[in-house]
């Protein structure tokens, strides 16, 4: 844990031993699952993953968003960001951006369509105001930029509506247009680090809980297996 993380609430990395504490029957985080895609034509390969969220959260609402839906949301509730939203033509960048506007306005749990739900998240919503996860350490340290510390990921995000972490992303959003490609990839981590510097992050109701990757991303993307093998072999050779 770095010094910049002193205002973050970390959870035990032992998945079998840790169960978030439930102090109230009213969730702090709304029971809404959000998922997004460019349009309604989602590839069939993601169908089972998407269904897993509905199956494990039968009492939750499920909201599916296209990029056109997200643009309408921005136009209606965040008009000063409309032109910047339109200027970002890179599909995955727009996908990253839209989840923050959705989460700020409605709250709930956002999950990428390639993420599979393995357990219900009800308990996480009761005692937390915002939940992020560290990225799988293989991704943080080896893929793709050889970072020297762990990073947060945005594959799964949970939070209450109006959480200031989401608001900070929106305020920093104009900077994204001028970032280099690697900076765009790691922009969510930049926002997270800036949020920790604010007095607001210390206030009750504004805490960000950062979970160990064992909870939300226990394995790395196998599409990178060849690169991982080469880097591990290279590092082992250097240490020999």
């Amino acid at each position: 844990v770095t010094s910049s993380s002193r205002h973050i609430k970390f959870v035990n990395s032992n998945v079998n031993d840790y169960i978030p504490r439930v102090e109230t029957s009213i969730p702090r985080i709304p029971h809404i699952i959000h998922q997004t895609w460019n349009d309604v034509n989602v590839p069939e390969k993601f169908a089972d993953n998407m269904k897993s969220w509905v199956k494990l959260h039968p009492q939750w609402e499920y909201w599916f968003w296209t990029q056109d839906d997200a643009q309408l949301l921005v136009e209606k509730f965040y008009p000063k960001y409309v032109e910047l939203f339109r200027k970002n033509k890179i599909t995955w960048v727009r996908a990253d951006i839209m989840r923050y506007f959705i989460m700020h306005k409605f709250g709930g749990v956002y999950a990428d369509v390639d993420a599979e739900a393995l357990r219900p998240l009800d308990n996480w919503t009761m005692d937390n105001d915002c939940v992020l996860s560290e990225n799988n350490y293989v991704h943080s340290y080896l893929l793709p930029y050889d970072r020297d510390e762990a990073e947060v990921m945005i594959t799964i995000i949970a939070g209450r509506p109006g959480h200031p972490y989401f608001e900070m992303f929106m305020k920093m959003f104009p900077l994204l247009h001028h970032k280099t490609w690697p900076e765009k990839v790691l922009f969510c981590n930049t926002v997270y680090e800036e949020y920790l510097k604010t007095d607001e992050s210390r206030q009750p109701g504004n805490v960000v809980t950062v979970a160990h990757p064992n909870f939300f991303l226990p394995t790395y993307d196998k599409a990178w297996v060849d690169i991982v093998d080469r880097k591990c072999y290279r590092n082992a050779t250097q240490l020999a």
Side-chain angles (χ1 to χ4, degrees):
V1 180
T2 63
S3 58
S4 64
S5 302
R6 62 188 181 278
H7 304 299
I8 298 302
K9 181 171 61 177
F10 282 83
V11 299
N12 191 320
S13 62
N14 190 328
V15 176
N16 293 322
D17 293 343
Y18 181 79
I19 299 177
R21 185 174 67 258
V22 178
E23 295 182 338
T24 174
S25 60
I26 302 174
R28 297 186 189 180
I29 298 173
H31 285 180
I32 308 170
I33 299 293
H34 300 280
Q35 294 195 292
T36 67
W37 193 249
N38 303 340
D39 50 38
V40 296
N41 301 308
V42 183
E44 181 67 25
K45 64 181 180 179
F46 299 129
D48 288 342
N49 289 344
M50 295 172 72
K51 291 176 183 177
S52 71
W53 291 95
V54 177
K55 181 178 180 180
L56 287 180
H57 303 86
Q59 303 303 317
W60 290 37
E61 295 182 41
Y62 178 88
W63 297 6
F64 178 80
W65 299 76
T66 66
Q67 292 206 3
D68 287 343
D69 295 331
Q71 183 161 311
L72 289 174
L73 174 72
V74 175
E75 290 173 354
K76 183 173 182 179
F77 296 106
Y78 308 99
K80 68 179 181 180
Y81 296 110
V82 170
E83 289 306 314
L84 283 169
F85 187 80
R86 290 172 178 166
K87 284 180 181 178
N88 280 278
K89 301 298 184 182
I90 304 173
T91 301
W92 67 264
V93 173
R94 286 170 64 90
D96 285 356
I97 293 168
M98 62 195 278
R99 70 191 67 184
Y100 280 94
F101 284 101
I102 293 168
M103 292 297 291
H104 183 268
K105 181 60 182 175
F106 299 106
V109 174
Y110 168 86
D112 281 349
V113 295
D114 60 351
E116 180 183 5
L118 299 178
R119 298 184 182 183
L121 297 182
D122 297 67
N123 283 346
W124 287 92
T125 67
M126 297 298 183
D127 194 33
N128 297 293
D129 296 288
C130 182
V131 180
L132 305 178
S133 173
E134 285 186 313
N135 205 347
N136 180 273
Y137 293 150
V138 172
H139 284 269
S140 290
Y141 296 111
L142 293 179
L143 303 172
Y145 300 114
D146 296 309
R147 288 171 56 83
D148 57 4
E149 61 181 19
E151 64 191 29
V152 296
M153 69 164 190
I154 55 175
T155 299
I156 299 172
I157 307 171
R160 64 170 177 82
H163 194 284
Y165 167 73
F166 303 138
E167 186 174 357
M168 171 155 281
F169 184 96
M170 292 158 55
K171 289 179 178 178
M172 294 180 65
F173 168 42
L175 302 176
L176 183 61
H177 189 63
H178 306 287
K179 296 291 184 179
T180 64
W181 184 269
E183 289 172 333
K184 281 183 168 70
V185 173
L186 298 172
F187 189 68
C188 63
N189 208 71
T190 300
V191 174
Y192 160 75
E193 291 171 348
E194 288 301 312
Y195 179 69
L196 297 185
K197 300 175 184 177
T198 67
D199 292 336
E200 200 169 18
S201 68
R202 302 168 174 82
Q203 302 302 314
N206 296 339
V207 173
V208 174
T209 299
V210 178
H212 188 279
N214 282 0
F215 288 103
F216 296 112
L217 196 66
T219 61
Y220 68 90
D221 187 343
K222 295 306 187 291
W224 295 85
V225 65
D226 290 340
I227 296 176
V228 172
D229 286 348
R230 287 198 300 271
K231 288 192 174 185
C232 289
Y233 177 77
R234 181 194 64 194
N235 292 341
T237 301
Q238 292 173 348
L239 292 172

